Amino acid sequence: MHGILQKLSAAVRELINPTLIASAVVLALAVGLGAQSEQAPKDKTAGQYYKNIKVLNDIPASDLVPGMRYITTALGVKCDYCHVNPFEKDAKPEKETARKMMTMLFAINKNNFDGRAEVSCYTCHQGHAQPVGLPALAAGAVAPEFIRPAEGAQTLPTADAIVDKYAQAIGTEDALNKVSSRAIHLEETDSDGKSYPVEAYEKTPGKMYQVTTLPQGTVTAGFDGTRAWVASSRGTHDAEQLHAIVLRREAEVNPVAALKNYTGKRVRGQAKIGDETTYIMQAKAPDGIIELLFFDEQSGLLVRRMMRDRTIFGALGIEADYADYKPVDGVNVPYKTTWSRTGQSSSFVIKDVKDNVPVDDSKFEPPQKPE
């Protein structure tokens, strides 16, 4: 059972935590230890005293075990994460990867810090088996608390079962199919507590635009089914990637139909978000981004989605929280959506919503050619 939780935690960190050193495994001890339990002699090297040493041959043998203690603390693991008994065996791929990571770590310190141990295992791992390289989200974002399955716990539902329950919770297929467009009046509140009125329009299949009124003027953003764009008094340009991710998902008038276009669906476990217990499903969106989708265990409704966007220096996390579902023409709509990204968040609260309003397709196109 512990292995299930460990794999889930690793999968989540893989999705939302990139590594500065591009490794998918641990920066662990790159050695194979012998079975000796006595204190290693100070006059011998690790290579002389222990078996199957391939990286740390020249360090004093007495330094090896203290180094292990540091690494298990830095990574939050035990020896068996990389080792089997006897320790000198190379039975786990993590051990060989760890050797490569050790070599790289020493090279970083040699080439940049005159050999001083300025960069360490903890620099990237910070108590996690998987490296922690993702900048933190906004302060108000509530981290999921992953649940360790109890002995004898029931088998997790399948991905299809979770999607089916979500479809039933959102509304009937007939009610969903009747919605071809939607006009929404919202209030956006940013991280600084400032609020702005927003008018949003959605139309099947997968188009939307919204107009936000700011003190300095209006900003219009949209998604025409292919391109995400932003227009203001300074001109029109393609939306930056994180904004484009939001616009594409906000264009989903029928969230069940949109979810059915996701591929590679699989259930990864459970987590608590606040007081809600959720099932976690991993899936790949049509735009190629892998998401973790959190569905309330009781209601079946989607309460969170977590993603990340890669940049040339690392990845940035982004998540959406959905709350306060209310029925609109037979379809349950989240009246509060909070989008969080690194250092920023915006909450959108619906003030009024109307279905099947006429919206000209030209509204979803950028007002002028991108700069």
Side-chain angles (χ1 to χ4, degrees), residues 9 43 67 128 155 180:
S9 298
D43 59 346
H128 300 291
T155 303
S180 60

Side-chain angles (χ1 to χ4, degrees), residues 175-192:
L176 286 165
N177 289 337
K178 283 181 178 178
V179 182
S180 60
S181 64
R182 182 171 287 151
I184 312 172
H185 293 269
L186 311 102
E187 182 178 71
E188 175 187 0
T189 303
D190 64 19
S191 301
D192 297 325

